[in-house]
Amino acid sequence: MIRAASQMVEEGVADPVLIGDRDAVDATVTDLGLDFEPEVVDPDEIDTEAYAERLHEIRKRKGLTESEATDLVERDPNYLGSVMVDQGDADALLTGLTHHYPSALRPPLEVIGTAPDADNVAGVYMLTFKNRVIFCADTTVNTEPDAAVLAEIAEHVAALARRFNVEPRVAMLSYSNFGSVETEGTHKVAEAATRLRDDPTIDFEVDGEMQADTAVVEDILEDTYDFAELDGPANCLVFPNLEAGNIGYKLLQRLGGADAIGPMLTGMDEPVHVIQRGDEVKDIVNLAGVAVVDAQEDDA
């Protein structure tokens, strides 16, 4: 994380603020031979009272006491960082490198919450190949989404694609093609696609349920399923559950040779992204660049 912060400064990506023990951070900077002086927020050095009061105000009707709020902002950097973003003392939050994903996601969800037009958040990976870009969702958050959640995930990923100047063609994935197999699992995917197609506010191409190869192979769409409401191969893939999404994007990345940016967290009220454990410096810097764009768009 410290290497990534140094690279952000060097490349002019952002002004990173590191939350942690100042002495430990400074020692690591020296050990790594980095030529930069990081901005560090050390809970032992700053007055955390205002942050604790804000956290208590947000969570007091969820059972959080004043003393518990104080302990959280002093001991858990995810809560402190979330309140800093909530209060405008930081523009975005990147976390998760040394935490399990659910424990890193919980504090920003509790403090910052979802955007006014969102009920759920979703994790999206952008995979870049030699001749195409694919957005995969949900890869990190929703374990067993129902039809309504799948439809919202599709809206999130379509909006994200447009932020990258990609006109979305959304495929709702399953192991069935347009009713070829009828089970509870395929029904929910088909229902999600129907909800979207019947919604007059939806302004992107979407269809399903369909198999993955149907979604991405133009000949299959044009010949076997020429009735499909996609004008070309899908560039946004909505998986039926978290298990499929996480497996699918990792296979595409590792075996397909794709460069991956993410997971980008969509649906939050402020720019928040939860890094996967084990991500490399380039992954963190790429996600920081996404967070910067998020923050700039919010300020526009």
Side-chain angles (χ1 to χ4, degrees), residues 58-256:
I58 294 171
R59 301 296 297 175
K60 63 184 179 183
R61 292 191 177 273
K62 300 294 184 180
L64 189 71
T65 66
E66 290 184 4
S67 61
E68 289 170 336
T70 298
D71 185 64
L72 284 175
V73 297
E74 291 180 349
R75 302 302 171 201
D76 190 330
N78 291 312
Y79 278 100
L80 177 55
S82 296
V83 180
M84 288 176 63
V85 172
D86 172 77
Q87 294 295 90
D89 294 333
D91 297 307
L93 174 66
L94 264 68
T95 184
L97 190 63
T98 57
H99 301 80
H100 290 293
Y101 198 95
S103 63
L105 177 59
R106 188 178 303 111
L109 276 177
E110 291 179 352
V111 175
I112 297 170
T114 59
D117 59 349
D119 295 319
N120 299 276
V121 299
V124 181
Y125 268 93
M126 181 175 73
L127 304 178
T128 59
F129 300 85
K130 287 183 179 180
N131 59 352
R132 68 168 65 179
V133 175
I134 298 287
F135 295 84
C136 296
D138 174 14
T139 58
T140 58
V141 180
N142 298 283
T143 306
E144 288 290 343
D146 60 18
V149 175
L150 284 173
E152 183 177 356
I153 291 170
E155 293 186 63
H156 286 327
V157 70
L160 181 63
R162 281 181 170 154
R163 284 174 43 209
F164 284 91
N165 296 317
V166 174
E167 188 57 30
R169 295 188 297 274
V170 181
M172 312 299 292
L173 297 184
S174 182
Y175 59 91
S176 168
N177 277 318
F178 306 103
S180 63
V181 179
E182 295 191 3
T183 66
E184 182 178 349
T186 63
H187 283 166
K188 75 170 184 179
V189 179
E191 181 186 343
T194 300
R195 283 175 179 238
L196 292 163
R197 291 199 309 272
D198 291 346
D199 186 340
T201 67
I202 298 301
D203 61 350
F204 55 84
E205 297 176 21
V206 57
D207 212 340
E209 85 286 13
M210 69 178 74
Q211 295 178 0
D213 56 346
T214 301
V216 300
V217 178
E218 189 167 10
D219 288 345
I220 299 177
L221 276 173
E222 290 184 350
D223 297 339
T224 309
Y225 303 105
D226 59 350
F227 57 84
E229 297 188 17
L230 297 180
D231 288 339
N235 50 33
C236 297
L237 306 180
V238 177
F239 290 83
N241 55 39
L242 181 58
E243 191 170 28
N246 195 269
I247 292 169
Y249 99 80
K250 287 184 176 180
L251 286 174
L252 285 169
Q253 179 186 9
R254 299 299 182 180
L255 299 181

